[in-house]
Amino acid sequence: MSFFLSSVFLAALPLAVAPLLLHFFDRRRNVVIEWGAMQFLQEAATRRTSARRLQQWLLLLLRILAIAALVTALARPLLPGQWLGATDRRETIFVLDNSLSTLRQAGDVSLFDDMIAQAEQAIEDLPSGDTVRILIASPYPVWITPASVRVDIGSRPDLRDQLRALRPTHGTSDLLASLLKVVQSDIEDETLMERRIILMTDGQGADWNTSDEAGWQRFRDVLAEVHVPTRVDIVKPDATVVSTTNIAVNGIRTSRSVVGVNQRFTVTAQVRNFSRDESAASSLDWSVGDESREQSNIPALDAGATYDAIWNHSFDRPGVFTLSCQVAADDDLQPDNTATVVVEVVERIPVLLVEGSTGFAEIQQDAYLVQAALGRVDGQDDQNWRAVFEPRTIPPRRLETIELDRFRVVVIPNLTDLSQEAVSRLSDFVSGGGGLWLALGPRTDVDRFNRYMFNDGDGLSPVSLDRIVDERRGPTNSTTINPFLKRHPATADLADDDKLDTGDVKVTRRMRFHTSAVSDDVSILLDLTNGEPLVVENYFGEGRVIVQGIPLRLQWSELAMSQAFVVMVHDWLSYLSEPGATRRNLQPGDPIAVHVGKTRLRDATLTTPAGEDITLTGEPVDDGIEFRTSRTILPGTYTLEFGLSGDGVPFHVARDPGESDLSALTATDRRFLSETAGLGREYTETETAGSNQRDPVWPLLLMLLIVIMVAELLLSGVIARNRFGTDPISDTTEQWAGAAPLFGNISATNESSSPDPLDEPLRTKEQVIESGQRRSDLVS
Amino acid sequence: MRRIDWQVYARNDRYYIRQFEEETNLQALVALDTSGSMRFGLSTVSKFEYARRAAACLARLLLHQRDAVGAAVLHDSSPAFVPARQNASHLQSILVALQNATPSEGGSLPTQIRSCIPRMRRRGMFILFSDCFGDIDELATALKVVRARGHDVTVFQVLAPEEIRFDFRHWSSFQSLESAQRLNLDPASVRDGYLKQLRTFLDRLEEAITGIGGDYVRTTTEHDLAETLGFYLRGRAANGHVGGNVTDRMVTL
């Protein structure tokens, strides 16, 4: 441990002898002067006082000390111990695991409450002067304290209140991300001696993400680079106290997210036994809003086993409804016994059918059977039954002009050819979330399809067309749809071979796709028993496209006559219309986006599962206002209210089912964390924090430097005054008595009556004699 | 009535009494110190050179006035003496003597001064050009003897500006011009003491010379020689110097 924060400056310490060197260098420059006034110099040299010598040596010493003080201060030395009387300065950071699993009970209180109580006590035990920060780990790491808080009599109650205001979430904790955030945080106090991270967790293994080896290695590297000694203490409850018995609803789904009025749909809830032991039989309660509607029995489940409870329901009015289920299980973690899904019930879903044979009788038209599957005959709905989908039929040329945004899906039952303009408009439609169902037939122009619909892989179709294949040339004169369908949400019902005849549908002719274009990346909804794909899917922008190799009529196959046809039409229309519908069942982080038609509303309020209200401002879009937010990281039910109506539109963010697995870290996980991340030391009450505090000295050195410089200046002044302050000796005789001085005042100031003889003109000797200026006293 | 100068009356119609009439010519001896210290000169000509020129100029001045001037080169081993003469051509002899003078290593100035006394048969002026370094008392005694013989004494003390200011900044080795003595020291550290010593010396010297009735002129080698001599001459004229038998009027240069 270095005693200097910037020890590189110590390399300049030899400069301190520079004044001494200059002094000796100056002495070596002995200038020889041949001198005449030796007698005075001898006496002066003899009388040179020791006091003056002392002054000169003292000045030299001050200069040396000044340079040494400056260089040492730049090196920022630290004194060990408490030489300067300062107290320990240490930072304690609490990382709190507030995931769903901390809501399980440990005795009379939940694990989270117990964790908070321990944190409060730890803060009380911290000495005044230490600093504290708090970070919660779920659903993602967030600082509760924006900066370090110094512990004192005033801050302890505030910290206590902040801890007590925390609540667990229904999400998971990312402990790796939390620890990384802490060790990477800035150290505001450069004199900090130690940093202690106290991780309080319930010990659930799922929160540790031990599969991310690279992440933990990086944590270890960052920890090693921190220049302040940092240690991580893990606080977790006694394993014998904490139960891992848990029955949870993993998730709930519906066969359709948008259903029509009185249209039956299926709700499926998956229940899982996360316990180590077999669970007792229980029941599952279905409710709409707060109203209980149905109950399902849940049998006893083995450890780790799942059970799907099914409920069929319909709504008799349009609206957005919240369906929930709750398993009545006696376990220690109740919040995961419930699951919720939001269903939108609509009157009608507009669908556009492109009819290429408008000149024929209706029964001969391509779209006839599709309309019949939707309960529409002779242009009118069946009085006894009405599908939620409301079809409208147009000729192909109308695709260039009609407003496609009014429809959710466009169906072309027997594709012939489309203009480039129509293809372009369909591309825009699908990109914006619309659905497109293309059924190929005998009149499909393969070349134009490949050029405009496939477009080298950038078009609406995921595959290019090869040619029409006649299956009747095979040994069986036909081929059938493969009954072992891939698990795809659009074919879930079609896969029910007991109820439907999907596997019996014979196909005599079809449009074959280029096999080279059908890669593993292409989604196949239906294939044939000969292995060839029959129906493929493409994701184009926000929408979906289904391309099938047979038309939606009695041509080339028996599909339109089968029982599966109606189910297929309804299921695939629902599937294709989903992207265009408002997504109400989200994963954490998915955006909530609601489009409202022309309205004066500009603001909406989103209420989060934590009870927080967020104001959203609508953005103008083409034909209305859109409200959008991505603040959906917290699992639970969100409610969006427009204006002051008071009626909220629900959205639901699903929780991670993995959080229901209460298994603790395995021995392998602990070994991994110890070896890879250097973690594993556990905190006990007997642990004492070592005082390794060091105090900064450079402020004192800088003050000393100032004092030295002032002293040097004063002493230099004294010496200079002694050397050169002596009054100079006049270099001429003082003013001659009665005469003008030699320099500067040539004009006579003589007050004598005698004129200045130098001012008189020259005269001859005789004149001098005559004027009586011989050596005789002449008296006039 | 017999004292009235009737010739003057006839010319000026004014009465003048003639008290006495006597010879007006002055006899002067310019003495040049050739001690070793006179060799010093750093930023200017040496003191010896400066003094020699001053002595030459003064000698010429006196000769031009029809005064008798002699010269004495004060030297321990080879002194030179030029008796006073009045004629203008005597200047050459004086100049030759001054030209041939060279500074010696040392010497006793008072002794050399005393040696000039017998050569001054008539009362006159004794004009000394020297830096006067040495024992003041002995010098004053020697000059007092000169003065006692009825001569007027004038001392031109010639110093170098470095000797007056002592502004040396670096460590120096001061080598004596009269002996083998050498001092290595930091001049700035002894400046104060040196100047005090010098000031005391100069004050005592001036007091000693003026105390015996002599004239004291101090100058440095950086001063213009004409101004220095002019200062001296004006001073003497302002004083109306009538001491002894010396004429009190000199033709201005």
Side-chain angles (χ1 to χ4, degrees):
Chain A
M1 189 174 294
S2 171
F3 288 98
F4 294 90
L5 293 181
S6 306
S7 57
V8 65
F9 284 100
L10 292 178
L13 206 54
L15 289 176
V17 299
L20 200 62
L21 293 177
L22 287 173
H23 173 74
F24 288 124
F25 178 74
D26 192 44
R27 289 190 67 166
R28 281 175 61 88
R29 291 193 300 166
N30 244 358
V31 179
V32 177
I33 300 173
E34 290 184 325
W35 187 248
M38 212 61 181
Q39 66 193 81
F40 314 109
L41 198 59
Q42 177 66 48
E43 288 188 49
T46 304
R47 294 189 181 199
R48 188 174 47 177
T49 62
S50 58
R52 295 227 175 134
R53 285 204 187 107
L54 185 64
Q55 285 178 351
Q56 289 168 357
W57 282 111
L58 182 61
L59 185 67
L60 199 60
L61 180 65
L62 286 174
R63 288 170 178 168
I64 293 172
L65 287 178
I67 295 175
L70 178 63
V71 171
T72 308
L74 288 174
R76 296 199 289 173
L78 297 168
L79 279 180
Q82 302 181 18
W83 290 18
L84 300 181
T87 57
D88 290 356
R89 276 195 290 279
R90 187 176 57 190
E91 183 176 51
T92 303
I93 301 176
F94 292 92
V95 178
L96 303 177
D97 176 6
N98 59 328
S99 61
L100 176 69
S101 58
T102 61
L103 281 173
R104 56 183 148 151
Q105 298 294 310
D108 297 330
V109 295
S110 68
L111 287 177
F112 185 78
D113 291 338
D114 183 56
M115 202 183 298
I116 294 298
Q118 288 190 58
E120 286 183 29
Q121 186 59 47
I123 290 177
E124 287 296 324
D125 295 338
L126 288 176
S128 295
D130 273 13
T131 54
V132 169
R133 292 194 78 176
I134 303 173
L135 178 129
I136 54 172
S138 175
Y140 52 85
V142 171
W143 288 108
I144 298 302
T145 52
S148 295
V149 177
R150 189 165 295 277
V151 176
D152 54 36
I153 193 171
S155 65
R156 287 184 208 272
D158 292 336
L159 290 168
R160 206 165 38 238
D161 291 341
Q162 289 186 50
L163 284 172
R164 291 178 182 175
L166 296 175
R167 293 288 179 270
T169 69
H170 282 202
T172 60
S173 284
D174 190 342
L175 297 183
L176 170 59
S178 301
L179 290 174
L180 262 175
K181 191 178 182 79
V182 169
V183 296
Q184 288 175 333
S185 62
D186 294 332
I187 298 175
E188 297 163 357
D189 184 359
E190 286 190 352
T191 64
L192 196 65
M193 291 298 106
E194 184 186 43
R195 184 183 248 187
R196 184 180 172 205
I197 302 171
I198 301 178
L199 170 59
M200 293 186 150
T201 177
D202 61 347
Q204 183 191 26
D207 294 332
W208 286 91
N209 197 13
T210 51
S211 61
D212 189 357
E213 184 174 347
W216 283 109
Q217 181 63 50
R218 182 160 178 269
F219 165 77
R220 185 172 198 164
D221 295 339
V222 173
L223 188 63
E225 289 173 359
V226 177
H227 68 272
V228 173
T230 302
R231 73 183 210 199
V232 180
D233 297 333
I234 302 171
V235 178
K236 56 183 195 291
D238 186 352
T240 59
V241 175
V242 178
S243 166
T244 58
T245 300
N246 191 29
I247 306 295
V249 179
N250 261 3
I252 182 172
R253 64 183 188 277
T254 59
S255 56
R256 293 184 174 84
S257 60
V258 179
V259 299
V261 172
N262 296 320
Q263 181 183 16
R264 289 187 75 79
F265 61 97
T266 303
V267 188
T268 305
Q270 187 183 75
V271 179
R272 180 172 176 177
N273 178 17
F274 285 98
S275 312
R276 295 194 199 109
D277 304 317
E278 181 184 89
S279 68
S282 57
S283 62
L284 185 76
D285 188 62
W286 300 96
S287 57
V288 175
D290 296 329
E291 183 182 346
S292 177
R293 296 292 186 90
E294 186 81 13
Q295 268 199 354
S296 298
N297 293 324
I298 307 297
L301 297 175
D302 293 331
T306 61
Y307 177 81
D308 289 342
I310 296 174
W311 179 42
N312 294 311
H313 185 65
S314 65
F315 289 95
D316 58 1
R317 55 186 170 86
V320 180
F321 300 93
T322 303
L323 273 69
S324 301
C325 64
Q326 183 172 4
V327 62
D330 183 19
D331 60 3
D332 293 325
L333 186 62
Q334 290 292 311
D336 62 354
N337 292 2
T338 304
T340 302
V341 69
V342 178
V343 176
E344 182 180 3
V345 182
V346 297
E347 286 277 4
R348 307 301 295 270
I349 297 176
V351 173
L352 185 66
L353 301 178
V354 180
E355 175 55 60
S357 306
T358 51
F360 291 85
E362 185 181 3
I363 197 171
Q364 291 175 317
Q365 292 179 358
D366 296 328
Y368 174 76
L369 291 174
V370 176
Q371 292 191 79
L374 295 177
R376 198 171 182 92
V377 179
D378 295 332
Q380 292 187 1
D381 292 326
D382 189 308
Q383 291 185 358
N384 297 320
W385 173 76
R386 190 183 71 173
V388 66
F389 299 103
E390 183 181 22
R392 177 178 169 182
T393 307
I394 61 167
R397 64 178 183 278
R398 283 291 309 279
L399 278 174
E400 299 176 12
T401 56
I402 194 168
E403 284 187 37
L404 293 175
D405 291 339
R406 287 165 32 204
F407 303 91
R408 291 278 189 90
V409 184
V410 174
V411 182
I412 304 177
N414 193 355
L415 178 67
T416 55
D417 181 29
L418 295 175
S419 66
Q420 277 185 264
E421 175 65 19
V423 173
S424 174
R425 297 190 83 231
L426 283 173
S427 298
D428 293 340
F429 168 71
V430 175
S431 290
L436 177 63
W437 187 354
L438 295 174
L440 308 175
R443 289 175 291 163
T444 303
D445 189 330
V446 173
D447 290 335
R448 284 184 67 85
F449 182 94
N450 289 338
R451 190 182 314 158
Y452 298 117
M453 300 296 278
F454 175 64
N455 192 21
D456 288 330
D458 293 332
L460 289 165
S461 172
V463 293
S464 60
L465 303 183
D466 184 9
R467 58 186 174 87
I468 297 172
V469 174
D470 194 339
E471 299 292 344
R472 289 173 297 185
R473 293 181 182 174
T476 58
N477 292 332
S478 68
T479 186
T480 55
I481 295 175
N482 186 2
F484 302 102
L485 303 173
K486 298 187 195 312
R487 294 190 65 82
H488 190 285
T491 58
D493 291 337
L494 292 177
D496 189 349
D497 217 25
D498 294 332
K499 294 181 179 177
L500 297 177
D501 55 354
T502 310
D504 298 329
V505 173
K506 291 181 182 173
V507 176
T508 56
R509 289 183 117 186
R510 62 181 173 89
M511 183 69 71
R512 187 165 75 179
F513 305 124
H514 267 127
T515 54
S516 59
V518 182
S519 64
D520 291 338
D521 295 334
V522 176
S523 174
I524 300 175
L525 269 62
L526 294 177
D527 57 4
L528 301 171
T529 50
N530 60 8
E532 299 258 343
L534 181 64
V535 182
V536 295
E537 176 195 19
N538 188 27
Y539 299 100
F540 191 86
E542 293 186 22
R544 297 165 181 167
V545 179
I546 290 176
V547 180
Q548 69 178 56
I550 53 177
L552 290 170
R553 56 177 295 165
L554 289 174
Q555 245 182 334
W556 291 3
S557 74
E558 298 169 344
L559 180 63
M561 291 192 306
S562 66
Q563 298 169 343
F565 182 72
V566 175
V567 174
M568 183 183 73
V569 169
H570 283 261
D571 285 355
W572 288 12
L573 287 178
S574 293
Y575 178 74
L576 289 170
S577 65
E578 276 184 358
T582 301
R583 289 186 62 197
R584 304 188 186 277
N585 297 290
L586 310 167
Q587 296 297 317
D590 287 348
I592 292 176
V594 176
H595 182 272
V596 180
K598 291 192 187 301
T599 175
R600 292 183 181 178
L601 289 172
R602 288 295 177 269
D603 294 324
T605 303
L606 180 71
T607 304
T608 69
E612 182 187 0
D613 286 339
I614 303 169
T615 300
L616 304 181
T617 301
E619 295 291 331
V621 292
D622 294 334
D623 56 347
I625 302 293
E626 184 179 73
F627 296 90
R628 175 181 281 266
T629 180
S630 294
R631 298 176 64 172
T632 57
I633 201 66
L634 206 59
T637 300
Y638 293 72
T639 306
L640 185 64
E641 292 182 11
F642 300 96
L644 301 175
S645 62
D647 298 328
V649 179
F651 295 83
H652 190 78
V653 175
R655 67 170 187 275
D656 186 347
E659 185 61 20
S660 298
D661 184 0
L662 304 180
S663 304
L665 282 170
T666 63
T668 305
D669 292 336
R670 282 196 295 272
R671 189 163 50 249
F672 166 79
L673 291 172
S674 175
E675 294 172 357
T676 306
L679 297 175
R681 185 169 138 231
E682 296 190 13
Y683 169 79
T684 63
E685 290 185 356
T686 59
E687 286 281 345
T688 55
S691 174
N692 201 16
Q693 182 259 343
R694 294 173 297 170
D695 293 316
V697 181
W698 61 88
L700 296 177
L701 283 175
L702 289 175
M703 288 175 58
L704 181 63
L705 174 63
I706 294 172
V707 171
I708 291 173
M709 288 173 67
V710 171
E712 195 269 350
L713 284 172
L714 290 175
L715 187 57
S716 296
V718 169
I719 293 175
R721 193 169 58 247
N722 290 339
R723 287 186 174 192
F724 305 108
T726 308
D727 291 336
I729 297 175
S730 172
D731 51 1
T732 59
T733 313
E734 293 294 327
Q735 184 172 359
W736 191 275
L742 181 57
F743 298 103
N745 188 10
I746 302 300
S747 59
T749 57
N750 186 7
E751 296 180 355
S752 163
S753 59
S754 304
D756 186 345
L758 292 178
D759 292 337
E760 294 183 2
L762 294 176
R763 294 182 286 177
T764 61
K765 183 175 179 181
E766 291 73 16
Q767 289 173 330
V768 169
I769 293 172
E770 290 180 356
S771 70
Q773 293 203 358
R774 292 175 174 223
R775 287 192 62 232
S776 60
D777 290 330
L778 299 175
V779 179
S780 62
Chain B
M1 289 291 288
R2 59 185 176 89
R3 286 188 175 182
I4 294 176
D5 191 333
W6 294 109
Q7 289 183 350
V8 173
Y9 173 72
R11 284 193 289 272
N12 298 327
D13 200 25
R14 295 182 74 177
Y15 293 104
Y16 288 91
I17 295 177
R18 191 189 322 130
Q19 286 189 323
F20 60 88
E21 187 175 310
E22 197 174 290
E23 181 61 48
T24 63
N25 292 348
L26 170 69
Q27 190 171 62
L29 179 68
V30 289
L32 177 65
D33 179 11
T34 63
S35 62
S37 60
M38 291 293 287
R39 283 188 290 161
F40 181 76
L42 275 181
S43 58
T44 60
V45 295
S46 66
K47 293 186 289 185
F48 177 78
E49 185 59 36
Y50 188 91
R52 181 162 61 181
R53 291 180 193 173
C57 290
L58 202 57
R60 185 197 177 278
L61 200 70
L62 294 173
L63 285 174
H64 188 73
Q65 289 190 144
R66 303 280 178 94
D67 290 326
V69 180
V73 177
L74 304 178
H75 199 286
D76 259 1
S77 57
S78 53
F81 182 78
V82 178
R85 293 285 187 272
Q86 192 178 1
N87 48 321
S89 61
H90 186 59
L91 177 63
Q92 189 63 29
S93 304
I94 294 173
L95 294 179
V96 168
L98 292 176
Q99 183 67 33
N100 292 334
T102 56
S104 62
E105 290 295 322
S108 170
L109 183 60
T111 305
Q112 295 161 3
I113 291 173
R114 288 173 190 267
S115 67
C116 295
I117 296 174
R119 299 180 184 271
M120 300 174 68
R121 300 185 184 280
R122 292 170 58 186
R123 292 180 181 176
M125 284 183 68
F126 179 77
I127 306 169
L128 173 65
F129 292 90
S130 171
D131 56 12
C132 302
F133 289 161
D135 191 279
I136 291 178
D137 294 332
E138 289 183 6
L139 178 61
T141 302
L143 292 175
K144 188 182 293 185
V145 173
V146 174
R147 186 80 178 97
R149 296 300 174 89
H151 304 294
D152 285 345
V153 171
T154 299
V155 176
F156 278 88
Q157 185 182 24
V158 179
L159 298 172
E162 290 83 2
E163 291 172 336
I164 291 292
R165 298 184 197 121
F166 203 71
D167 280 338
F168 302 102
R169 301 272 175 171
H170 303 293
W171 270 85
S172 304
S173 179
F174 291 88
Q175 174 67 50
S176 173
L177 287 168
E178 294 186 353
S179 67
Q181 187 183 17
R182 179 190 286 262
L183 285 176
N184 298 324
L185 43 78
D186 176 20
S189 66
V190 299
R191 183 175 183 270
D192 182 47
Y194 167 84
L195 291 178
K196 281 183 183 172
Q197 295 295 321
L198 182 60
R199 182 179 289 110
T200 303
F201 174 84
L202 296 177
D203 291 342
R204 285 186 59 207
L205 180 66
E206 183 176 1
E207 184 181 349
I209 295 171
T210 57
I212 62 172
D215 296 331
Y216 170 75
V217 179
R218 183 170 70 240
T219 185
T220 62
T221 53
E222 65 181 357
H223 289 152
D224 183 62
L225 185 56
E227 290 184 2
T228 300
L229 292 178
F231 166 75
Y232 169 66
L233 296 174
R234 282 196 296 275
R236 283 192 64 84
N239 281 341
H241 192 88
V242 293
N245 300 321
V246 181
T247 184
D248 64 351
R249 176 71 177 146
M250 297 287 182
V251 175
T252 304
L253 290 174

